Amino acid sequence: MYKAVVDRFASPYGFLLVMVASAVLTGCGGGSGGGGDHADGGGELIAAAAPLPSGQVSVSVTRSNIRRLAMAGDAFTASVTASWSATNLETRRIYLQARDTGTLFGPAVTIAARAGANVRLELPVLSDASAGEYRGRIELRACEDETCVSVFPDASTSVAYRLQLQPAPDWQTHQADAAHRGYVGMLLDPAKFAKAWEWSRPPGTEPIGGINPVTTADGKVYVTDDVYFGTATLRALDESNGAEVWTRSFGSVPALNPPAVSGGRVHVAVTGHEATSLWTFDAQTGALIRSAPFEGQWPHLLAPVVHQDAVYTGGGYYGGTVYSFSLATGARNWATKSGDDDMFVPAVDDSFVYHYDGTGLLQLDRTTGAVLARIADPFGPLTTGYSYHAAPMIGSANNVIAFSGGAFSGRASSNTEQYGQRVLTNFLLGSNVLGWTSANAYLTAPALANGVVYAARNAPMSLDAIDEATGRVLWSWTPPAGSGDAKFHRNVVATRNLVFVSTDASVYAIDIRKRAHVWRYPAPGMLALSAGRTLYIATGASASNGKLVAIRLK
């Protein structure tokens, strides 16, 4: 007598699995029964399953998330969610594979999938993808094996993409660019951060020994000596290892200020009576292009600003002056008298120049320097004649944000931080009125990213995220207890996902979404972030100690 058991059930992979149990032959003494195949002396008889038609599989996309705009070097993925259905698969497994038919994403990703379930597949962007426009399709296929050697016929679909990878900007001047937002729109992974190298200003007899805030371009970082009647040098260092590419000495000068770099040229001001001049060099070779004199008693300045066809800088005798020079010839375009003596630079856009003169915001015609509008600031009416130690920051909604009033540092050098904290004021350009003034006073040069102003204050110690539209503090961060950090210093740098800020002991990276720090380097300083994804720390909490640390962020 035969006993046969047939069990049918659904596997975890979503196909119907048919199992046919053994038919057990029973009898006496192993004698033969009434027909059928069997093993000599008795045993198991394997029943054959009836053949099923060949499997048919269909694949559908339920959701896709592929960026349209990103920055070259960002680490991100193309995400596609898909599901599948099938008939008559017998015991074959199903794998879903996503692959890029273009040249931007890879490698292919394959996942075992259950029928009807949504499966998310993510393809990483290639780390060496250069700036440009990319077009292609993310193709999804149903396969019988994990390597997709065997693909089910007609079981595929695809999603088209068109993505623009923008080139990463360099740190060209004070707080990154002519808008002074301190923002570089790249995505960064703190797990990849590592110190690359450290450089120190060569020893000499000059008493200051510090360096000014740095700027970057095309794989180089540009450094100037902060001097007080001493031998001053401009240097170009290789971003990969800190080696000197070229140096240019100015001899003994009263003061050398921070450099600006744009369009293959480096611009830097020497200041002090008859020595006051704006120097321009070839950024690749260091060759002198020209020197354009302007007026200056004993001013110290922030880095010049380059925008379109002109270079802008502060300066002036007995009160400040904003200067514009032709980028092509070096000839002076115009000079507009301001209030504060020094330590300022204007913000510039395609039409206007914005300058805080100690008592309010001036809107100047970019071509002529004529004052088109003035918005008085009631929080700084008695500070004319002091150093400013700041620059206006162009907002994202026809507004400019600036510190109210001047400041004092004892030495009025870009290497030396000011003592006092000041409120931030939002000037509305269309109506020429004040929008808001911050409830707290801040010390650090702020950053602006995606409608949020980031600024740090002391007493109490707090990095605040401030709503650009209302001035309301959205959230705050403080260093962890027991960290040894007592005060914030210097400037804030923002990216798409992180905010960098310095205390008197460390530099932190704060995750904007988590509102918690995800990285720390045990030295304070002035910060700059290059297109090559290198964070530079000109070390020293309130004054430079002459060292530059490079942190590789990729």
Side-chain angles (χ1 to χ4, degrees):
M1 183 174 67
Y2 293 93
K3 180 182 178 182
V5 180
V6 178
D7 188 13
R8 295 174 177 262
F9 60 92
S11 83
Y13 296 99
F15 49 80
L16 188 65
L17 179 62
V18 181
M19 294 187 65
V20 182
S22 62
V24 181
L25 176 66
T26 59
C28 299
S32 62
D37 296 328
H38 63 87
D40 289 342
E44 297 181 345
L45 176 66
I46 307 301
L52 295 174
S54 59
Q56 293 187 358
V57 181
S58 64
V59 179
S60 62
V61 173
T62 58
R63 185 178 180 182
S64 64
N65 184 12
I66 306 174
R67 292 178 181 273
R68 295 183 179 181
L69 187 67
M71 189 167 287
D74 281 352
F76 63 94
T77 59
S79 172
V80 180
T81 303
S83 64
W84 65 272
S85 60
T87 58
N88 301 329
L89 281 184
E90 299 178 339
T91 61
R92 286 176 288 183
R93 305 183 75 176
I94 284 288
Y95 294 87
L96 289 184
Q97 183 189 73
R99 64 176 183 173
D100 182 12
T101 62
T103 60
L104 183 58
F105 298 100
V109 174
T110 309
I111 297 178
R114 292 185 295 110
N118 286 324
V119 178
R120 182 173 176 176
L121 299 102
E122 295 186 339
L123 291 172
V125 67
L126 297 175
S127 60
D128 59 350
S130 58
E133 183 177 84
Y134 292 83
R135 300 189 186 197
R137 304 187 75 87
I138 303 298
E139 183 185 46
L140 291 108
R141 306 189 297 172
C143 310
E144 292 191 73
D145 58 284
E146 194 167 2
T147 57
C148 270
V149 172
S150 178
V151 181
F152 285 96
D154 302 319
S156 66
T157 187
S158 64
V159 177
Y161 69 83
R162 177 179 178 181
L163 189 145
Q164 184 74 36
L165 279 185
Q166 295 180 327
D170 265 301
W171 196 269
Q172 298 180 354
T173 184
H174 174 74
Q175 285 299 86
D177 55 23
H180 306 306
R181 293 180 180 176
Y183 175 67
V184 181
M186 55 180 59
L187 289 171
L188 298 171
D189 181 358
K192 298 179 180 180
F193 294 3
K195 180 179 177 180
W197 48 264
E198 183 175 314
W199 175 89
S200 295
R201 175 180 167 179
T205 58
E206 195 277 327
I208 302 301
I211 60 173
N212 294 307
V214 303
T215 49
T216 68
D218 302 323
K220 299 180 182 62
V221 53
Y222 298 92
V223 186
T224 56
D225 298 337
D226 180 26
V227 300
Y228 181 73
F229 289 93
T231 301
T233 303
L234 164 66
R235 296 175 175 86
L237 308 181
D238 190 314
E239 183 166 86
S240 64
N241 54 24
E244 289 187 353
V245 179
W246 54 259
T247 64
R248 290 295 175 265
S249 175
F250 296 88
S252 182
V253 296
L256 181 62
N257 299 280
V261 58
S262 180
R265 295 180 177 183
V266 181
H267 308 272
V268 61
V270 171
T271 50
H273 283 282
E274 65 276 2
T276 303
S277 189
L278 183 65
W279 295 73
T280 300
F281 300 89
D282 184 282
Q284 293 298 320
T285 66
L288 175 64
I289 295 175
R290 60 174 167 265
S291 174
F294 63 101
E295 290 73 36
Q297 191 178 9
W298 302 114
H300 288 252
L301 307 173
L302 299 182
V305 166
V306 181
H307 187 75
Q308 292 185 351
D309 58 354
V311 186
Y312 305 86
T313 185
Y317 267 93
Y318 304 110
T321 301
V322 180
Y323 294 90
S324 169
F325 295 91
S326 167
L327 188 62
T329 66
R332 184 183 302 184
N333 294 321
W334 49 261
T336 299
K337 190 76 173 177
S338 76
D340 281 332
D341 279 345
D342 61 358
M343 284 302 298
F344 67 85
V345 69
V348 186
D349 62 22
D350 291 349
S351 301
F352 306 108
V353 174
Y354 306 97
H355 172 60
Y356 187 91
D357 71 350
T359 62
L361 183 74
L362 301 181
Q363 185 178 27
L364 311 178
D365 184 278
R366 197 176 73 83
T367 304
T368 66
V371 178
L372 302 178
R374 184 180 187 278
I375 308 175
D377 180 9
F379 294 91
L382 302 176
T383 56
T384 300
Y386 283 85
S387 298
Y388 186 49
H389 283 275
M393 181 171 64
I394 299 176
S396 59
N398 199 29
N399 62 310
V400 170
I401 298 168
F403 277 117
S404 288
F408 181 73
S409 70
R411 192 171 159 260
S413 164
S414 64
N415 166 36
T416 308
E417 187 177 71
Q418 76 279 3
Y419 298 138
Q421 302 187 129
R422 295 166 287 177
V423 295
L424 288 166
T425 298
N426 184 33
F427 298 90
L428 304 181
L429 300 175
S431 53
N432 291 333
V433 297
L434 298 183
W436 52 258
T437 296
S438 61
N440 304 305
Y442 295 92
L443 183 75
T444 64
L448 173 62
N450 301 314
V452 179
V453 178
Y454 299 94
R457 57 189 171 96
N458 299 311
M461 190 179 185
S462 177
L463 170 70
D464 291 343
I466 306 166
D467 188 298
E468 181 189 7
T470 66
R472 180 174 62 92
V473 175
L474 302 173
W475 57 269
S476 299
W477 175 87
T478 56
S483 62
D485 304 283
K487 291 183 178 181
F488 285 111
H489 289 282
R490 298 300 192 169
N491 65 320
V492 179
V493 176
T495 72
R496 288 189 62 172
N497 62 320
L498 301 176
V499 174
F500 294 93
V501 66
S502 175
T503 69
D504 53 349
S506 305
V507 172
Y508 287 92
I510 294 94
D511 187 291
I512 293 173
R513 182 179 58 84
K514 298 177 181 177
R515 302 177 184 179
H517 79 275
V518 290
W519 176 82
R520 172 183 174 270
Y521 184 78
M526 192 76 178
L527 307 176
L529 178 54
S530 76
R533 295 176 186 255
T534 299
L535 177 70
Y536 291 101
I537 308 172
T539 55
S542 56
S544 166
N545 59 16
K547 293 183 179 180
L548 183 66
V549 172
I551 306 294
R552 193 82 68 231
L553 306 182
K554 61 179 181 179

